[in-house]
Amino acid sequence: MSTAGDERKETSGDSGIDRGRRLRCIVKLGGAAVTCKGEVEKINDEALREVSSHLREALMGYRSETEVLSMDWSRRSGAAEMDQIEEFDGYSIPNMENFIIVHGAGSFGHFQASKSGVHKGHLHLPIVKAGFVATRISVTSLCLAIVRALAREGMPAIGMPPFASGWETTDRNVASAHLLPITRALESGLIPVLHGDAVLDNIRGCTILSGDVIIRHLAENLMPDYVVFLTDVLGVYDRPPADPHAVLLREIEVGDDGRWHVLRPLDQGVEISVAAHDTTGGMETKISEAAAIARLGIPVFITKAGSPHALRALKGEPVDHLADDWLGTVIRPSSCG
Amino acid sequence: MSTAGDERKETSGDSGIDRGRRLRCIVKLGGAAVTCKGEVEKINDEALREVSSHLREALMGYRSETEVLSMDWSRRSGAAEMDQIEEFDGYSIPNMENFIIVHGAGSFGHFQASKSGVHKGHLHLPIVKAGFVATRISVTSLCLAIVRALAREGMPAIGMPPFASGWETTDRNVASAHLLPITRALESGLIPVLHGDAVLDNIRGCTILSGDVIIRHLAENLMPDYVVFLTDVLGVYDRPPADPHAVLLREIEVGDDGRWHVLRPLDQGVEISVAAHDTTGGMETKISEAAAIARLGIPVFITKAGSPHALRALKGEPVDHLADDWLGTVIRPSSCG
């Protein structure tokens, strides 16, 4: 794998726009990893700080001794950070990789969407229209909070809600997505932040577009070197992780036909176990989306947000070498590694 | 003027998407009208409630006795509103006109933008990049607050930040804007809410795109029946409104060549007086933008947010007849009225 090549840089003079650099990775911040379970609309600030610290080290070229200046200058951020503004004179932001963040909804949006049935469509019904508006308010609130948390940790994050960018579906499949604003933001050294959102659907009127589906579409079109899913558990297990007999699946291989099988550990009768535990469609959907990405030749790493394994995944370590002490799930194309 | 014709409706079955209805109006909520002067990042909640009430009556077909149900179901909105959700069953949203809201920044974004010089470009400089991120955080916070305020008053408002929708400039002039998400939102019976924003500029790297410039671009492309600017004063004066000798300009006519002159009151030596008071470029720019819209054949009304004159302007009354007791400024094409 190449290390996102600086030799391809073409900075167009004073505009600061840097065309032609490849996309290093797409990072999914799982809703469960950055919000508080069981509490409606509550951010997990500590987890977000950990994630920011890892992103900074892995993708922004910050060393531990580099001073971090906040890019959130809101009144509510407090006067101390306001004073830091002067310090930007003479400050330099390290050479960062191109990456995109997509976050889930966690305890935001879920209540509003399920209460009104936004995922089922029928936008002309008053309850659905109200739920559509309420869902978007909730998920864009979370997006703003995440952008602010990243900015406070020195990251030039920019919220790009899919609805506003013209993402639409046809019977729940992505029908159109205006990707130019995303690539332009990347070229300008910004970090696009997208999220699961309520969107218009050509057949149903409306639906919920999940973060996982967004990532697949971005991966297909922008071809990152790798994709990292940061969740609240270490990876994909053969049964619910709370089960004391649950086994972490370390390596899953995806063939050209999209079929996947577990490489490590070898003796797990996994396909059946996963299906059995997958009553909600959640894990099956996650593996399917990840497998669809791997099939494009892009390895996918699933691991626990804030853990040392997350830092190593964000650096792309498991692309070249899958160390025994790295805990997580790699979903890779059969032709890779 | 036609009253936004229901006869042109083509509802495409169950999707609730309503194609082919014309755009009734574009409403500018001036930053000064909806935020508190002199206080950084503070919303004027009372003003926003008044504006919502006027929009509802003028454009959403709500009569005063119609019950209003909140579409903001956030935790912070309180449990009382949560209980209202059940009431949406059997509720009907009156037949609304198509309209778009664009708001200014007021006490949001200004500090961040001016401190870093975002309007001057040079996005590659750390202070500008940080200011760009900080400005966007501030203006998107305001947008979210306005969308929530409108939703609480029963309006299906949807935030569509220009940066996320791909608005870009070339040397400060609008170079591209992805309008499809806006027209799709309108077709679905939603109210797009845009705002002045920090955007990428092909020459400078970045700049500030003002709400007034956004409105001109939308007007040129979507041809509303009329445009209403809601501000914190009654309209355009011949000198600063605080001056006891200031005279409200009631009617300004714009020729095909874009030149404008005051029709009422007749004896004002206005062009010179306006220029003299216009040291910041603010009022001159506002009249120029309004004149550019009027030149397209679209009348522009400037009046005070929350006043009875605002309600009449939102209803389009001054299009047909300019009553003596209506206080505000009409900027109209010479061929109209």
Side-chain angles (χ1 to χ4, degrees):
Chain A
M1 188 199 64
S2 71
T3 49
D6 274 359
E7 69 283 3
R8 270 163 301 183
K9 270 196 192 180
E10 294 170 42
T11 302
S12 61
D14 210 29
S15 72
I17 293 171
D18 181 4
R19 301 182 201 280
R21 278 179 67 195
R22 64 182 290 119
L23 180 63
R24 175 73 170 214
C25 77
I26 300 173
V27 181
K28 166 78 184 286
L29 300 186
V34 294
T35 66
C36 298
K37 233 176 208 163
E39 264 197 86
V40 173
E41 300 192 344
K42 184 146 172 50
I43 311 273
N44 186 336
D45 294 311
E46 183 52 35
L48 257 179
R49 262 196 301 274
E50 277 295 317
V51 166
S52 301
S53 157
H54 284 166
L55 290 170
R56 205 158 51 211
E57 183 178 339
L59 295 163
M60 287 190 65
Y62 273 82
R63 293 188 218 136
S64 54
E65 69 271 20
T66 313
E67 190 193 9
V68 171
L69 296 180
S70 172
M71 296 187 181
D72 179 8
W73 303 348
S74 305
R75 190 177 65 139
R76 286 155 295 176
S77 273
E81 284 168 3
M82 295 291 206
D83 296 341
Q84 280 198 331
I85 297 173
E86 310 297 339
E87 296 177 35
F88 274 100
D89 280 330
Y91 182 72
S92 76
I93 299 170
N95 243 342
M96 58 182 266
E97 306 277 1
N98 272 342
F99 65 104
I100 297 173
I101 294 174
V102 180
H103 65 79
S107 60
F108 287 74
H110 180 75
F111 160 78
Q112 291 85 351
S114 63
K115 194 87 184 173
S116 57
V118 168
H119 57 289
K120 288 186 271 182
H122 311 289
L123 184 58
H124 61 287
L125 297 175
I127 177 82
V128 178
K129 186 163 284 178
F132 189 90
V133 169
T135 301
R136 293 214 72 247
I137 287 173
S138 188
V139 293
T140 54
S141 299
L142 175 60
C143 181
L144 179 58
I146 288 178
V147 164
R148 291 188 61 194
L150 296 169
R152 275 198 299 274
E153 302 290 326
M155 311 184 70
I158 296 282
M160 307 194 77
F163 180 96
S165 301
W167 289 65
E168 278 195 28
T169 55
T170 298
D171 208 12
R172 291 184 180 156
N173 296 306
V174 176
S176 64
H178 191 53
L179 300 183
L180 189 62
I182 296 172
T183 56
R184 295 279 295 140
L186 290 169
E187 288 166 1
S188 301
L190 302 167
I191 305 167
V193 179
L194 286 80
H195 55 80
D197 203 355
V199 297
L200 301 178
D201 185 285
N202 294 310
I203 307 283
R204 296 164 179 266
C206 63
T207 194
I208 297 294
L209 180 66
S210 77
D212 292 345
V213 173
I214 290 170
I215 287 182
R216 172 148 69 117
H217 190 80
L218 290 176
E220 280 169 359
N221 286 277
L222 304 177
M223 293 299 286
D225 291 336
Y226 52 92
V227 170
V228 179
F229 285 81
L230 299 178
T231 72
D232 60 340
V233 291
L234 276 173
V236 178
Y237 290 80
D238 66 339
R239 65 201 80 186
D243 184 325
H245 298 103
V247 173
L248 177 65
L249 308 181
R250 307 288 298 273
E251 198 173 0
I252 294 173
E253 191 181 65
V254 181
D256 291 338
D257 58 359
R259 293 179 63 87
W260 53 270
H261 66 278
V262 177
L263 284 185
R264 287 205 302 168
L266 257 181
D267 55 352
Q268 299 300 314
V270 169
E271 286 188 73
I272 294 157
S273 306
V274 170
H277 125 232
D278 193 38
T279 48
T280 63
M283 195 48 74
E284 181 74 43
T285 305
K286 192 165 286 295
I287 296 181
S288 298
E289 294 294 337
I293 295 167
R295 205 178 154 188
L296 302 166
I298 302 165
V300 176
F301 314 132
I302 305 178
T303 190
K304 185 169 179 166
S307 71
H309 315 293
L311 178 61
R312 291 166 70 182
L314 290 170
K315 286 181 173 171
E317 253 188 51
V319 175
D320 297 318
H321 172 65
L322 196 51
D324 280 339
D325 64 346
W326 183 79
L327 294 183
T329 302
V330 171
I331 301 179
R332 67 162 87 246
S334 56
S335 53
C336 169
Chain B
M1 189 199 64
S2 70
T3 49
D6 274 359
E7 70 281 4
R8 271 164 299 185
K9 270 194 191 181
E10 294 170 43
T11 302
S12 61
D14 210 30
S15 71
I17 293 172
D18 182 4
R19 300 181 202 281
R21 278 179 66 196
R22 63 181 293 119
L23 180 62
R24 174 73 171 216
C25 77
I26 300 174
V27 181
K28 166 77 184 288
L29 301 185
V34 294
T35 66
C36 297
K37 233 176 207 164
E39 264 198 86
V40 174
E41 300 191 345
K42 183 144 173 54
I43 310 273
N44 186 336
D45 294 311
E46 183 52 36
L48 257 179
R49 261 196 301 274
E50 277 295 316
V51 166
S52 301
S53 157
H54 284 168
L55 290 170
R56 205 159 49 211
E57 184 178 339
L59 296 163
M60 287 191 66
Y62 272 84
R63 292 189 218 136
S64 54
E65 69 270 20
T66 313
E67 191 192 10
V68 171
L69 297 181
S70 172
M71 295 186 182
D72 178 9
W73 302 348
S74 305
R75 189 177 65 140
R76 286 154 296 175
S77 273
E81 285 169 1
M82 297 289 207
D83 297 341
Q84 280 198 330
I85 296 173
E86 311 297 340
E87 296 177 36
F88 273 100
D89 280 329
Y91 182 72
S92 77
I93 298 169
N95 242 342
M96 59 182 264
E97 305 278 1
N98 272 342
F99 65 105
I100 297 174
I101 293 173
V102 180
H103 66 79
S107 60
F108 286 74
H110 180 76
F111 160 78
Q112 291 85 350
S114 63
K115 195 86 184 172
S116 57
V118 168
H119 57 290
K120 289 186 271 183
H122 309 290
L123 184 58
H124 61 288
L125 298 175
I127 176 81
V128 178
K129 187 164 284 179
F132 189 91
V133 170
T135 302
R136 293 213 72 251
I137 286 173
S138 189
V139 294
T140 54
S141 299
L142 175 61
C143 181
L144 179 59
I146 288 179
V147 164
R148 291 188 61 195
L150 295 169
R152 275 198 299 273
E153 301 290 325
M155 312 184 69
I158 295 283
M160 307 194 76
F163 180 96
S165 301
W167 290 65
E168 278 195 28
T169 55
T170 298
D171 208 12
R172 292 184 180 157
N173 296 305
V174 176
S176 64
H178 191 52
L179 300 183
L180 189 63
I182 296 172
T183 55
R184 294 280 295 139
L186 289 169
E187 287 166 2
S188 300
L190 302 168
I191 304 167
V193 179
L194 286 79
H195 55 80
D197 203 356
V199 297
L200 300 179
D201 184 285
N202 294 310
I203 307 283
R204 295 163 181 268
C206 63
T207 194
I208 297 294
L209 180 66
S210 78
D212 292 344
V213 173
I214 290 170
I215 286 183
R216 172 147 70 117
H217 190 80
L218 290 176
E220 280 170 358
N221 287 276
L222 304 177
M223 293 301 285
D225 291 335
Y226 51 92
V227 171
V228 180
F229 285 81
L230 300 177
T231 71
D232 60 340
V233 291
L234 276 173
V236 178
Y237 289 81
D238 66 339
R239 64 201 81 184
D243 184 326
H245 299 104
V247 173
L248 177 65
L249 308 181
R250 307 288 296 274
E251 198 172 0
I252 294 174
E253 192 181 64
V254 181
D256 290 339
D257 58 359
R259 292 178 62 89
W260 52 271
H261 65 276
V262 178
L263 284 186
R264 286 205 302 167
L266 257 181
D267 55 352
Q268 300 299 313
V270 169
E271 286 188 73
I272 295 157
S273 307
V274 169
H277 126 231
D278 193 37
T279 49
T280 63
M283 196 47 75
E284 180 76 42
T285 306
K286 192 165 284 296
I287 296 181
S288 298
E289 293 294 337
I293 295 168
R295 206 178 153 188
L296 302 167
I298 302 165
V300 177
F301 314 133
I302 305 178
T303 190
K304 185 169 180 166
S307 71
H309 314 293
L311 178 60
R312 291 165 71 180
L314 290 169
K315 285 181 173 172
E317 253 187 51
V319 174
D320 298 317
H321 172 64
L322 196 51
D324 281 338
D325 65 345
W326 184 78
L327 294 183
T329 302
V330 172
I331 301 179
R332 67 161 87 246
S334 57
S335 52
C336 167

